[in-house]
Amino acid sequence: DAGVTQSPTHLIKTRGQQVTLRCSPKSGHDTVSWYQQALGQGPQFIFQYYEEEERQRGNFPDRFSGHQFPNYSSELNVNALLLGDSALYLCASRSLGGSSYNEQFFGPGTRLTVL
Amino acid sequence: EDQVTQSPEALRLQEGESSSLNCSYTVSGLRGLFWYRQDPGKGPEFLFTLYSAGEEKEKERLKATLTKKESFLHITAPKPEDSATYLCAVKNAGGTSYGKLTFGQGTILTVHP
């Protein structure tokens, strides 16, 4: 049973550039969330996608956008990168149905470094 | 706004020395409290979900408990491989059922042989 997968593993960008991160959810899951984790901090919620629509959003600017595809995979796009965007970006998936619908499972993350 | 505070920030134990990690929370209606383990440079690994005060769950040397204001993660006779950052998160019952998780900053556990 494949878990949540993310690509790429690491990424280095310069200020002002744009970046796209990718996530494939765990088999059987239909909801994908994205989190940003700065060094030494807990993950911060960016947004969540279900049925190809953004359903809930955290306190992140419009530079952060996303997309969910019909196969439930998702992308996170960040425009006009700032030094402060350097972080581990985590994708989490879950299923809205079933007895364990609250449980979210995380991928290994993408380490983004902005120079 | 939901808030989660974990203590201590860091905990050093000798192998076999039992202890507890604390997670205090404020949330507008608790839909679930979650414990995760995170190794350096990796994504969080799901451990437990607790739904209501008085609930307890166990897995190997770990036991999680829940009250109306806090949760404890008890570690019995820890081993060096238990060294990791332990994260606590809550999900509130308001709004849609999609629900974000609000995390604490984590407790860094180091177990010395």
Short mmCIF file of all heavy atoms in Angstrom, two decimals, chain A residues 46-106:
data_model
loop_
_atom_site.label_atom_id
_atom_site.label_comp_id
_atom_site.label_asym_id
_atom_site.label_seq_id
_atom_site.Cartn_x
_atom_site.Cartn_y
_atom_site.Cartn_z
N ILE A 46 -1.79 25.36 5.20
CA ILE A 46 -1.88 26.30 4.07
C ILE A 46 -3.28 26.25 3.46
O ILE A 46 -3.99 27.24 3.42
CB ILE A 46 -0.82 25.98 2.99
CG1 ILE A 46 0.59 26.01 3.60
CG2 ILE A 46 -0.93 26.97 1.83
CD1 ILE A 46 1.68 25.58 2.63
N PHE A 47 -3.68 25.09 2.95
CA PHE A 47 -5.03 24.88 2.43
C PHE A 47 -5.31 23.39 2.23
O PHE A 47 -4.42 22.55 2.36
CB PHE A 47 -5.31 25.64 1.12
CG PHE A 47 -4.21 25.63 0.10
CD1 PHE A 47 -3.66 24.43 -0.36
CD2 PHE A 47 -3.74 26.81 -0.43
CE1 PHE A 47 -2.66 24.43 -1.31
CE2 PHE A 47 -2.74 26.82 -1.39
CZ PHE A 47 -2.20 25.63 -1.83
N GLN A 48 -6.59 23.13 1.96
CA GLN A 48 -7.04 21.75 1.78
C GLN A 48 -7.90 21.65 0.53
O GLN A 48 -8.73 22.53 0.26
CB GLN A 48 -7.84 21.29 2.98
CG GLN A 48 -8.23 19.82 2.96
CD GLN A 48 -8.82 19.38 4.29
OE1 GLN A 48 -9.93 19.76 4.62
NE2 GLN A 48 -8.08 18.59 5.04
N TYR A 49 -7.74 20.58 -0.25
CA TYR A 49 -8.48 20.35 -1.48
C TYR A 49 -9.31 19.08 -1.38
O TYR A 49 -8.85 18.04 -0.89
CB TYR A 49 -7.53 20.24 -2.67
CG TYR A 49 -7.14 21.59 -3.21
CD1 TYR A 49 -6.09 22.30 -2.63
CD2 TYR A 49 -7.83 22.17 -4.26
CE1 TYR A 49 -5.75 23.55 -3.10
CE2 TYR A 49 -7.50 23.42 -4.74
CZ TYR A 49 -6.45 24.11 -4.15
OH TYR A 49 -6.11 25.35 -4.62
N TYR A 50 -10.54 19.19 -1.88
CA TYR A 50 -11.44 18.04 -1.99
C TYR A 50 -12.30 18.26 -3.22
O TYR A 50 -12.78 19.37 -3.47
CB TYR A 50 -12.31 17.92 -0.74
CG TYR A 50 -13.40 16.89 -0.83
CD1 TYR A 50 -13.10 15.53 -0.92
CD2 TYR A 50 -14.75 17.26 -0.81
CE1 TYR A 50 -14.10 14.58 -1.01
CE2 TYR A 50 -15.75 16.32 -0.91
CZ TYR A 50 -15.42 14.98 -1.00
OH TYR A 50 -16.41 14.03 -1.08
N GLU A 51 -12.49 17.22 -4.00
CA GLU A 51 -13.26 17.30 -5.24
C GLU A 51 -12.78 18.46 -6.11
O GLU A 51 -13.58 19.24 -6.66
CB GLU A 51 -14.76 17.43 -4.95
CG GLU A 51 -15.35 16.16 -4.35
CD GLU A 51 -16.86 16.20 -4.20
OE1 GLU A 51 -17.41 17.31 -4.04
OE2 GLU A 51 -17.49 15.12 -4.23
N GLU A 52 -11.46 18.58 -6.19
CA GLU A 52 -10.78 19.55 -7.08
C GLU A 52 -11.05 21.01 -6.71
O GLU A 52 -10.78 21.90 -7.51
CB GLU A 52 -11.17 19.29 -8.54
CG GLU A 52 -10.84 17.87 -9.00
CD GLU A 52 -11.25 17.60 -10.44
OE1 GLU A 52 -10.93 18.43 -11.31
OE2 GLU A 52 -11.90 16.56 -10.69
N GLU A 53 -11.55 21.26 -5.50
CA GLU A 53 -11.79 22.63 -5.06
C GLU A 53 -11.08 22.90 -3.74
O GLU A 53 -10.97 22.00 -2.89
CB GLU A 53 -13.28 22.90 -4.89
CG GLU A 53 -14.05 22.93 -6.19
CD GLU A 53 -15.48 23.41 -5.98
OE1 GLU A 53 -15.76 24.03 -4.93
OE2 GLU A 53 -16.31 23.17 -6.87
N GLU A 54 -10.63 24.13 -3.56
CA GLU A 54 -10.06 24.55 -2.28
C GLU A 54 -11.20 24.70 -1.28
O GLU A 54 -12.12 25.50 -1.48
CB GLU A 54 -9.31 25.88 -2.43
CG GLU A 54 -8.64 26.34 -1.14
CD GLU A 54 -7.98 27.70 -1.30
OE1 GLU A 54 -7.02 27.82 -2.09
OE2 GLU A 54 -8.43 28.65 -0.62
N ARG A 55 -11.14 23.93 -0.19
CA ARG A 55 -12.25 23.90 0.76
C ARG A 55 -11.99 24.72 2.01
O ARG A 55 -12.92 25.15 2.67
CB ARG A 55 -12.54 22.45 1.18
CG ARG A 55 -12.91 21.56 0.02
CD ARG A 55 -14.26 21.92 -0.56
NE ARG A 55 -14.62 21.06 -1.68
CZ ARG A 55 -15.83 21.00 -2.23
NH1 ARG A 55 -16.80 21.78 -1.76
NH2 ARG A 55 -16.06 20.19 -3.24
N GLN A 56 -10.73 24.88 2.38
CA GLN A 56 -10.38 25.62 3.57
C GLN A 56 -8.97 26.16 3.39
O GLN A 56 -8.13 25.51 2.74
CB GLN A 56 -10.45 24.72 4.82
CG GLN A 56 -10.46 25.46 6.14
CD GLN A 56 -10.80 24.54 7.30
OE1 GLN A 56 -10.84 23.32 7.17
NE2 GLN A 56 -11.04 25.13 8.46
N ARG A 57 -8.73 27.36 3.93
CA ARG A 57 -7.45 28.01 3.73
C ARG A 57 -6.95 28.58 5.04
O ARG A 57 -7.72 29.12 5.84
CB ARG A 57 -7.57 29.11 2.69
CG ARG A 57 -6.25 29.72 2.27
CD ARG A 57 -6.44 30.79 1.20
NE ARG A 57 -5.16 31.32 0.76
CZ ARG A 57 -4.49 30.87 -0.29
NH1 ARG A 57 -4.99 29.90 -1.02
NH2 ARG A 57 -3.33 31.39 -0.62
N GLY A 58 -5.65 28.48 5.28
CA GLY A 58 -5.02 29.08 6.45
C GLY A 58 -4.58 30.50 6.15
O GLY A 58 -4.94 31.08 5.12
N ASN A 59 -3.79 31.08 7.04
CA ASN A 59 -3.36 32.47 6.91
C ASN A 59 -2.13 32.61 6.02
O ASN A 59 -1.06 32.98 6.49
CB ASN A 59 -3.10 33.06 8.30
CG ASN A 59 -4.36 33.13 9.13
OD1 ASN A 59 -5.45 33.39 8.62
ND2 ASN A 59 -4.22 32.86 10.42
N PHE A 60 -2.29 32.31 4.76
CA PHE A 60 -1.21 32.44 3.80
C PHE A 60 -1.67 33.35 2.68
O PHE A 60 -2.82 33.36 2.29
CB PHE A 60 -0.83 31.05 3.25
CG PHE A 60 0.08 30.28 4.17
CD1 PHE A 60 -0.44 29.59 5.24
CD2 PHE A 60 1.45 30.26 3.96
CE1 PHE A 60 0.39 28.90 6.11
CE2 PHE A 60 2.29 29.57 4.81
CZ PHE A 60 1.75 28.88 5.89
N PRO A 61 -0.71 34.14 2.13
CA PRO A 61 -1.08 35.10 1.07
C PRO A 61 -1.45 34.39 -0.23
O PRO A 61 -1.20 33.19 -0.40
CB PRO A 61 0.21 35.93 0.91
CG PRO A 61 1.31 35.04 1.37
CD PRO A 61 0.73 34.23 2.48
N ASP A 62 -2.00 35.20 -1.15
CA ASP A 62 -2.45 34.66 -2.43
C ASP A 62 -1.29 34.15 -3.30
O ASP A 62 -1.55 33.49 -4.32
CB ASP A 62 -3.21 35.74 -3.21
CG ASP A 62 -4.52 36.07 -2.54
OD1 ASP A 62 -4.96 35.27 -1.68
OD2 ASP A 62 -5.11 37.11 -2.86
N ARG A 63 -0.06 34.44 -2.90
CA ARG A 63 1.09 33.89 -3.64
C ARG A 63 1.09 32.36 -3.57
O ARG A 63 1.71 31.70 -4.40
CB ARG A 63 2.42 34.39 -3.04
CG ARG A 63 2.63 35.87 -3.09
CD ARG A 63 4.03 36.24 -2.63
NE ARG A 63 4.31 35.88 -1.25
CZ ARG A 63 5.13 34.90 -0.87
NH1 ARG A 63 5.75 34.16 -1.78
NH2 ARG A 63 5.34 34.66 0.42
N PHE A 64 0.42 31.84 -2.58
CA PHE A 64 0.30 30.38 -2.42
C PHE A 64 -1.02 29.94 -3.07
O PHE A 64 -2.10 30.40 -2.67
CB PHE A 64 0.31 29.99 -0.94
CG PHE A 64 1.64 30.18 -0.27
CD1 PHE A 64 2.06 31.44 0.11
CD2 PHE A 64 2.46 29.10 -0.02
CE1 PHE A 64 3.29 31.63 0.73
CE2 PHE A 64 3.68 29.26 0.60
CZ PHE A 64 4.11 30.53 0.97
N SER A 65 -0.92 29.09 -4.06
CA SER A 65 -2.11 28.58 -4.72
C SER A 65 -1.95 27.09 -4.95
O SER A 65 -0.84 26.55 -4.85
CB SER A 65 -2.35 29.30 -6.04
OG SER A 65 -1.28 29.05 -6.94
N GLY A 66 -3.06 26.43 -5.25
CA GLY A 66 -2.98 24.99 -5.43
C GLY A 66 -3.94 24.48 -6.47
O GLY A 66 -4.72 25.24 -7.07
N HIS A 67 -3.87 23.19 -6.64
CA HIS A 67 -4.75 22.54 -7.61
C HIS A 67 -4.87 21.08 -7.21
O HIS A 67 -3.92 20.49 -6.69
CB HIS A 67 -4.16 22.65 -9.01
CG HIS A 67 -5.08 22.21 -10.09
ND1 HIS A 67 -6.14 22.96 -10.54
CD2 HIS A 67 -5.12 21.05 -10.80
CE1 HIS A 67 -6.78 22.30 -11.48
NE2 HIS A 67 -6.19 21.15 -11.66
N GLN A 68 -6.06 20.51 -7.45
CA GLN A 68 -6.23 19.07 -7.28
C GLN A 68 -6.75 18.49 -8.59
O GLN A 68 -7.65 19.07 -9.21
CB GLN A 68 -7.20 18.72 -6.15
CG GLN A 68 -7.26 17.21 -5.87
CD GLN A 68 -8.21 16.85 -4.74
OE1 GLN A 68 -9.23 17.49 -4.55
NE2 GLN A 68 -7.86 15.81 -3.99
N PHE A 69 -6.21 17.37 -8.99
CA PHE A 69 -6.55 16.74 -10.26
C PHE A 69 -7.60 15.64 -10.04
O PHE A 69 -7.81 15.19 -8.91
CB PHE A 69 -5.28 16.18 -10.90
CG PHE A 69 -4.26 17.24 -11.19
CD1 PHE A 69 -3.25 17.53 -10.29
CD2 PHE A 69 -4.33 17.99 -12.37
CE1 PHE A 69 -2.32 18.51 -10.55
CE2 PHE A 69 -3.41 18.98 -12.64
CZ PHE A 69 -2.41 19.25 -11.72
N PRO A 70 -8.24 15.19 -11.13
CA PRO A 70 -9.27 14.14 -11.00
C PRO A 70 -8.77 12.87 -10.32
O PRO A 70 -9.56 12.12 -9.74
CB PRO A 70 -9.70 13.88 -12.44
CG PRO A 70 -9.45 15.17 -13.13
CD PRO A 70 -8.19 15.72 -12.50
N ASN A 71 -7.47 12.58 -10.40
CA ASN A 71 -6.94 11.36 -9.74
C ASN A 71 -6.55 11.64 -8.28
O ASN A 71 -5.90 10.82 -7.65
CB ASN A 71 -5.73 10.82 -10.51
CG ASN A 71 -4.54 11.76 -10.46
OD1 ASN A 71 -4.64 12.89 -9.98
ND2 ASN A 71 -3.41 11.30 -10.97
N TYR A 72 -6.97 12.80 -7.74
CA TYR A 72 -6.78 13.24 -6.36
C TYR A 72 -5.38 13.79 -6.06
O TYR A 72 -5.16 14.32 -4.98
CB TYR A 72 -7.11 12.15 -5.34
CG TYR A 72 -8.46 11.52 -5.54
CD1 TYR A 72 -8.60 10.16 -5.80
CD2 TYR A 72 -9.62 12.30 -5.49
CE1 TYR A 72 -9.85 9.60 -6.00
CE2 TYR A 72 -10.87 11.74 -5.69
CZ TYR A 72 -10.98 10.38 -5.95
OH TYR A 72 -12.21 9.83 -6.15
N SER A 73 -4.44 13.67 -7.01
CA SER A 73 -3.12 14.25 -6.77
C SER A 73 -3.25 15.78 -6.73
O SER A 73 -4.27 16.34 -7.16
CB SER A 73 -2.13 13.81 -7.84
OG SER A 73 -2.49 14.35 -9.10
N SER A 74 -2.21 16.42 -6.21
CA SER A 74 -2.31 17.86 -5.98
C SER A 74 -0.98 18.55 -6.25
O SER A 74 0.09 17.93 -6.20
CB SER A 74 -2.75 18.12 -4.54
OG SER A 74 -2.80 19.49 -4.23
N GLU A 75 -1.07 19.84 -6.54
CA GLU A 75 0.10 20.70 -6.69
C GLU A 75 -0.03 21.91 -5.78
O GLU A 75 -1.14 22.40 -5.55
CB GLU A 75 0.23 21.20 -8.14
CG GLU A 75 0.66 20.15 -9.13
CD GLU A 75 0.82 20.73 -10.53
OE1 GLU A 75 0.40 21.88 -10.75
OE2 GLU A 75 1.35 20.01 -11.40
N LEU A 76 1.11 22.35 -5.28
CA LEU A 76 1.21 23.61 -4.53
C LEU A 76 2.11 24.53 -5.34
O LEU A 76 3.22 24.14 -5.70
CB LEU A 76 1.80 23.36 -3.14
CG LEU A 76 2.30 24.59 -2.38
CD1 LEU A 76 1.14 25.53 -2.04
CD2 LEU A 76 3.04 24.18 -1.09
N ASN A 77 1.62 25.72 -5.65
CA ASN A 77 2.39 26.71 -6.38
C ASN A 77 2.67 27.91 -5.48
O ASN A 77 1.78 28.38 -4.77
CB ASN A 77 1.62 27.19 -7.61
CG ASN A 77 1.30 26.06 -8.56
OD1 ASN A 77 2.18 25.48 -9.18
ND2 ASN A 77 0.02 25.71 -8.67
N VAL A 78 3.90 28.37 -5.51
CA VAL A 78 4.26 29.58 -4.77
C VAL A 78 4.92 30.54 -5.74
O VAL A 78 5.92 30.20 -6.38
CB VAL A 78 5.20 29.28 -3.58
CG1 VAL A 78 5.40 30.55 -2.75
CG2 VAL A 78 4.67 28.15 -2.72
N ASN A 79 4.35 31.74 -5.86
CA ASN A 79 4.89 32.77 -6.75
C ASN A 79 5.71 33.79 -5.97
O ASN A 79 5.57 33.92 -4.75
CB ASN A 79 3.74 33.51 -7.45
CG ASN A 79 2.98 32.61 -8.38
OD1 ASN A 79 3.56 31.78 -9.06
ND2 ASN A 79 1.66 32.77 -8.40
N ALA A 80 6.57 34.51 -6.69
CA ALA A 80 7.34 35.61 -6.10
C ALA A 80 7.98 35.19 -4.78
O ALA A 80 7.73 35.79 -3.73
CB ALA A 80 6.44 36.83 -5.90
N LEU A 81 8.80 34.16 -4.84
CA LEU A 81 9.38 33.57 -3.63
C LEU A 81 10.14 34.60 -2.80
O LEU A 81 10.86 35.47 -3.32
CB LEU A 81 10.32 32.43 -4.01
CG LEU A 81 9.63 31.13 -4.45
CD1 LEU A 81 10.64 30.20 -5.10
CD2 LEU A 81 8.96 30.47 -3.27
N LEU A 82 9.97 34.46 -1.48
CA LEU A 82 10.68 35.27 -0.50
C LEU A 82 11.62 34.36 0.30
O LEU A 82 11.40 33.14 0.38
CB LEU A 82 9.69 35.94 0.46
CG LEU A 82 8.62 36.81 -0.16
CD1 LEU A 82 7.64 37.28 0.91
CD2 LEU A 82 9.23 38.00 -0.88
N LEU A 83 12.63 34.97 0.93
CA LEU A 83 13.54 34.18 1.75
C LEU A 83 12.77 33.42 2.83
O LEU A 83 13.11 32.27 3.15
CB LEU A 83 14.59 35.08 2.41
CG LEU A 83 15.57 35.79 1.47
CD1 LEU A 83 16.52 36.68 2.27
CD2 LEU A 83 16.34 34.78 0.63
N GLY A 84 11.72 34.03 3.36
CA GLY A 84 10.93 33.43 4.43
C GLY A 84 10.09 32.24 4.00
O GLY A 84 9.49 31.58 4.84
N ASP A 85 10.07 31.98 2.68
CA ASP A 85 9.33 30.80 2.21
C ASP A 85 10.16 29.53 2.34
O ASP A 85 9.65 28.43 2.09
CB ASP A 85 8.92 30.99 0.75
CG ASP A 85 7.92 32.11 0.56
OD1 ASP A 85 7.14 32.39 1.50
OD2 ASP A 85 7.91 32.72 -0.53
N SER A 86 11.41 29.65 2.72
CA SER A 86 12.26 28.49 2.92
C SER A 86 11.69 27.66 4.06
O SER A 86 11.51 28.15 5.18
CB SER A 86 13.69 28.91 3.26
OG SER A 86 14.30 29.58 2.19
N ALA A 87 11.39 26.39 3.77
CA ALA A 87 10.73 25.53 4.77
C ALA A 87 10.60 24.13 4.20
O ALA A 87 10.92 23.88 3.04
CB ALA A 87 9.35 26.07 5.12
N LEU A 88 10.09 23.23 5.05
CA LEU A 88 9.70 21.89 4.61
C LEU A 88 8.21 21.96 4.28
O LEU A 88 7.40 22.35 5.14
CB LEU A 88 9.95 20.87 5.72
CG LEU A 88 9.63 19.41 5.40
CD1 LEU A 88 10.57 18.85 4.33
CD2 LEU A 88 9.71 18.56 6.67
N TYR A 89 7.84 21.62 3.07
CA TYR A 89 6.44 21.64 2.67
C TYR A 89 5.90 20.21 2.69
O TYR A 89 6.41 19.33 2.01
CB TYR A 89 6.29 22.28 1.28
CG TYR A 89 6.50 23.77 1.36
CD1 TYR A 89 7.78 24.31 1.31
CD2 TYR A 89 5.42 24.64 1.56
CE1 TYR A 89 7.98 25.67 1.43
CE2 TYR A 89 5.62 26.00 1.68
CZ TYR A 89 6.90 26.51 1.62
OH TYR A 89 7.09 27.86 1.76
N LEU A 90 4.86 20.04 3.47
CA LEU A 90 4.28 18.73 3.72
C LEU A 90 2.91 18.60 3.09
O LEU A 90 2.09 19.53 3.15
CB LEU A 90 4.15 18.48 5.23
CG LEU A 90 5.46 18.45 6.01
CD1 LEU A 90 5.20 18.63 7.50
CD2 LEU A 90 6.20 17.14 5.77
N CYS A 91 2.67 17.45 2.52
CA CYS A 91 1.36 17.11 1.99
C CYS A 91 0.76 16.03 2.89
O CYS A 91 1.48 15.12 3.33
CB CYS A 91 1.52 16.60 0.56
SG CYS A 91 0.03 15.90 -0.17
N ALA A 92 -0.52 16.14 3.17
CA ALA A 92 -1.21 15.13 3.98
C ALA A 92 -2.49 14.73 3.28
O ALA A 92 -3.15 15.56 2.65
CB ALA A 92 -1.52 15.68 5.37
N SER A 93 -2.85 13.46 3.38
CA SER A 93 -4.08 13.02 2.75
C SER A 93 -4.95 12.26 3.74
O SER A 93 -4.47 11.75 4.75
CB SER A 93 -3.79 12.14 1.53
OG SER A 93 -3.33 10.86 1.90
N ARG A 94 -6.24 12.22 3.44
CA ARG A 94 -7.19 11.44 4.23
C ARG A 94 -8.40 11.13 3.39
O ARG A 94 -8.57 11.67 2.29
CB ARG A 94 -7.59 12.20 5.49
CG ARG A 94 -8.46 13.42 5.26
CD ARG A 94 -8.72 14.15 6.56
NE ARG A 94 -9.56 15.31 6.38
CZ ARG A 94 -10.82 15.38 6.77
NH1 ARG A 94 -11.41 14.34 7.33
NH2 ARG A 94 -11.51 16.49 6.60
N SER A 95 -9.24 10.29 3.93
CA SER A 95 -10.49 9.95 3.26
C SER A 95 -11.63 10.57 4.05
O SER A 95 -11.68 10.45 5.27
CB SER A 95 -10.66 8.43 3.19
OG SER A 95 -11.94 8.11 2.69
N LEU A 96 -12.56 11.22 3.35
CA LEU A 96 -13.70 11.81 4.04
C LEU A 96 -14.68 10.77 4.55
O LEU A 96 -15.48 11.04 5.43
CB LEU A 96 -14.44 12.80 3.14
CG LEU A 96 -13.94 14.23 3.13
CD1 LEU A 96 -14.95 15.13 2.45
CD2 LEU A 96 -13.68 14.73 4.54
N GLY A 97 -14.63 9.56 4.01
CA GLY A 97 -15.53 8.52 4.46
C GLY A 97 -14.84 7.56 5.39
O GLY A 97 -13.63 7.60 5.55
N GLY A 98 -15.58 6.69 6.02
CA GLY A 98 -14.98 5.67 6.87
C GLY A 98 -14.85 6.10 8.31
O GLY A 98 -15.01 7.27 8.65
N SER A 99 -14.51 5.17 9.18
CA SER A 99 -14.45 5.43 10.62
C SER A 99 -13.22 6.24 11.00
O SER A 99 -13.20 6.85 12.06
CB SER A 99 -14.43 4.11 11.39
OG SER A 99 -13.32 3.33 11.00
N SER A 100 -12.19 6.26 10.18
CA SER A 100 -10.97 6.98 10.52
C SER A 100 -10.82 8.21 9.66
O SER A 100 -9.72 8.61 9.30
CB SER A 100 -9.75 6.08 10.36
OG SER A 100 -9.66 5.62 9.02
N TYR A 101 -11.95 8.87 9.35
CA TYR A 101 -11.89 9.96 8.38
C TYR A 101 -11.14 11.17 8.90
O TYR A 101 -10.72 12.03 8.14
CB TYR A 101 -13.30 10.37 7.96
CG TYR A 101 -14.07 11.17 8.99
CD1 TYR A 101 -14.12 12.56 8.92
CD2 TYR A 101 -14.75 10.53 10.02
CE1 TYR A 101 -14.83 13.29 9.86
CE2 TYR A 101 -15.45 11.26 10.96
CZ TYR A 101 -15.50 12.63 10.88
OH TYR A 101 -16.18 13.35 11.81
N ASN A 102 -10.94 11.26 10.23
CA ASN A 102 -10.22 12.40 10.75
C ASN A 102 -8.71 12.25 10.63
O ASN A 102 -7.99 13.23 10.74
CB ASN A 102 -10.57 12.61 12.23
CG ASN A 102 -11.86 13.40 12.38
OD1 ASN A 102 -12.01 14.44 11.78
ND2 ASN A 102 -12.78 12.89 13.17
N GLU A 103 -8.22 11.05 10.44
CA GLU A 103 -6.79 10.82 10.49
C GLU A 103 -6.13 11.24 9.19
O GLU A 103 -6.55 10.83 8.11
CB GLU A 103 -6.50 9.35 10.78
CG GLU A 103 -7.01 8.94 12.16
CD GLU A 103 -7.05 7.45 12.38
OE1 GLU A 103 -6.61 6.71 11.48
OE2 GLU A 103 -7.53 7.03 13.45
N GLN A 104 -5.10 12.06 9.30
CA GLN A 104 -4.35 12.51 8.14
C GLN A 104 -2.97 11.88 8.14
O GLN A 104 -2.32 11.78 9.18
CB GLN A 104 -4.21 14.04 8.14
CG GLN A 104 -5.53 14.76 7.98
CD GLN A 104 -5.37 16.25 7.74
OE1 GLN A 104 -4.39 16.68 7.17
NE2 GLN A 104 -6.36 17.02 8.17
N PHE A 105 -2.52 11.46 6.97
CA PHE A 105 -1.22 10.81 6.81
C PHE A 105 -0.34 11.70 5.96
O PHE A 105 -0.76 12.17 4.90
CB PHE A 105 -1.39 9.43 6.20
CG PHE A 105 -2.15 8.48 7.09
CD1 PHE A 105 -3.54 8.46 7.07
CD2 PHE A 105 -1.49 7.66 7.97
CE1 PHE A 105 -4.26 7.61 7.92
CE2 PHE A 105 -2.19 6.80 8.81
CZ PHE A 105 -3.57 6.79 8.78
N PHE A 106 0.89 11.91 6.43
CA PHE A 106 1.79 12.86 5.80
C PHE A 106 2.80 12.18 4.87
O PHE A 106 3.21 11.03 5.10
CB PHE A 106 2.56 13.64 6.86
CG PHE A 106 1.75 14.70 7.53
CD1 PHE A 106 0.90 14.39 8.57
CD2 PHE A 106 1.83 16.02 7.11
CE1 PHE A 106 0.13 15.37 9.18
CE2 PHE A 106 1.08 17.02 7.72
CZ PHE A 106 0.23 16.69 8.75
#
